[in-house]
Amino acid sequence: MVDWTDFERSTILDIFSKMDYDTVGPKSLARCLVVYPWTQRYFGNFGNLYNAAAIMGNPMVAAHGKVVLHGLDRALKNMDDIRGTYAELSVLHSEKLHVDPDNFRLLADCLTIVVAAQMGAAFTADVQAAFQKFLAVVVSSLGRQYH
Amino acid sequence: MSLTAKDKSTVKAFWAKIASKADDIGGDSLSRLLVVYPQTKTYFSHWNDITPGSAPVMKHGRTIMGGIATAVGVIDDLIGGLLTLSELHAFQLRIDPANFKLLAHCLLVELAIMFPAEFTPVVHVSMDKFFAALGLALAEKYR
């Protein structure tokens, strides 16, 4: 069970309520595939990922970016039990998708940077701390069912 | 994951664009580090004020950016070019090298905020590699 201060809770919900999922999702996943190219191993059937331009223009990457970002919706609705909320998704990522959980952290870092670029000066240190705490809980929960 | 010729030219070109804002970038990144990763405050118990944007924090941010500027200048031989800085960090400052990654992350966030158009994924990967190589060079003399 994670303790959220009022500031953290409202900040996190505020960021996501104003977020343009259709832009941020694709940009975050594309950035992850460019900055950490080994993450491309999970997307062998996504077609052309040969260079940064191809990745950033790839429609399958864009579509999947939206799926992944919307995956955070359930954590936002259940901030007081993110671990329980993600138990099933964690099993899926471990048993079916075989994703190394360190990748969750890499994607979270890219999401942080994309959101920072979108929010500009409004992404203060306090806001960043709250946002990263939320993502850290998500990342930990997604890795929880691995064995 | 060593720096390719393309990484080096990308870093130098991007540095040229951001150099005029270096002081702000340094001070704001350090301010960010102290808030987002509070354990880093343990290194600054000798300052009277570690709130974001305070005088000692901004001054130290400038010092750090000076070091990074030096590193850009010796990007072809980071380990050799930063030996003195490494000795400083190893024997006097004794900062746990894990913190270099934390500061690097804060620098990247700050760059994304201040240069949203220029900080493309291609620039991001080269800067991330550069900061990682820089951290390794700083840790060279630790043991």
Side-chain angles (χ1 to χ4, degrees):
Chain A
M1 270 286 297
V2 180
D3 280 325
W4 303 103
T5 64
D6 290 339
F7 172 80
E8 285 167 348
R9 204 181 282 268
S10 61
T11 297
I12 291 157
L13 292 172
D14 188 57
I15 291 176
F16 281 93
S17 73
K18 296 185 173 130
M19 188 181 291
D20 178 6
Y21 281 66
D22 289 346
T23 304
V24 172
K27 277 190 177 172
S28 302
L29 182 58
R31 191 169 279 258
C32 189
L33 295 172
V34 171
V35 177
Y36 309 109
W38 53 95
T39 57
Q40 292 168 26
R41 74 191 306 286
Y42 302 107
F43 303 105
N45 62 336
F46 270 30
N48 187 356
L49 300 177
Y50 298 136
N51 54 43
I55 291 169
M56 278 141 68
N58 185 310
M60 290 182 80
V61 170
H64 197 64
K66 292 180 206 175
V67 167
V68 169
L69 191 57
H70 276 292
L72 293 177
D73 289 343
R74 26 189 141 170
L76 292 164
K77 295 199 178 99
N78 296 287
M79 281 181 70
D80 291 315
D81 184 23
I82 295 179
R83 185 196 287 182
T85 302
Y86 278 143
E88 236 185 273
L89 260 183
S90 178
V91 171
L92 174 80
H93 283 75
S94 163
E95 305 297 303
K96 272 240 160 66
L97 305 177
H98 306 293
V99 176
D100 181 337
D102 195 57
N103 291 278
F104 306 144
R105 187 183 55 79
L106 300 180
L107 180 58
D109 281 351
C110 286
L111 177 60
T112 301
I113 289 193
V114 169
V115 168
Q118 299 264 300
M119 290 180 64
F123 198 66
T124 62
D126 288 323
V127 168
Q128 180 183 347
F131 191 72
Q132 289 193 189
K133 178 174 169 178
F134 173 70
L135 290 182
V137 174
V138 168
V139 165
S140 164
S141 303
L142 278 177
R144 200 73 175 57
Q145 303 302 326
Y146 281 62
H147 63 92
Chain B
M1 296 196 262
S2 49
L3 297 171
T4 62
K6 178 161 183 268
D7 286 323
K8 293 178 192 176
S9 63
T10 301
V11 169
K12 285 188 207 168
F14 186 64
W15 187 262
K17 280 186 203 158
I18 71 175
S20 60
K21 292 260 171 66
D23 288 352
D24 285 339
I25 295 169
D28 289 345
S29 298
L30 184 57
S31 296
R32 219 166 259 280
L33 179 77
L34 295 167
V35 171
V36 178
Y37 304 105
Q39 67 270 26
T40 57
K41 291 193 288 190
T42 55
Y43 290 100
F44 302 106
S45 52
H46 56 289
W47 285 351
N48 56 3
D49 184 3
I50 48 169
T51 54
S54 70
V57 171
M58 296 309 280
K59 176 162 179 270
H60 198 60
R62 284 196 289 277
T63 305
I64 293 174
M65 289 308 274
I68 297 179
T70 301
V72 174
V74 296
I75 200 168
D76 289 318
D77 179 20
L78 284 169
I79 291 183
L82 297 176
L83 266 177
T84 316
L85 266 182
S86 181
E87 282 169 359
L88 173 74
H89 285 74
F91 305 131
Q92 286 188 39
L93 303 177
R94 288 177 291 194
I95 296 171
D96 190 314
N99 294 289
F100 302 151
K101 289 190 189 139
L102 303 182
L103 180 58
H105 176 69
C106 290
L107 280 162
L108 293 173
V109 168
E110 202 56 51
L111 291 172
I113 289 173
M114 293 177 77
F115 303 94
E118 295 90 334
F119 193 64
T120 61
V122 169
V123 169
H124 178 168
V125 60
S126 294
M127 289 304 292
D128 191 31
K129 287 175 73 176
F130 169 62
F131 288 145
L134 175 43
L136 278 176
L138 276 181
E140 177 68 12
K141 304 298 275 179
Y142 270 61
R143 57 177 175 174

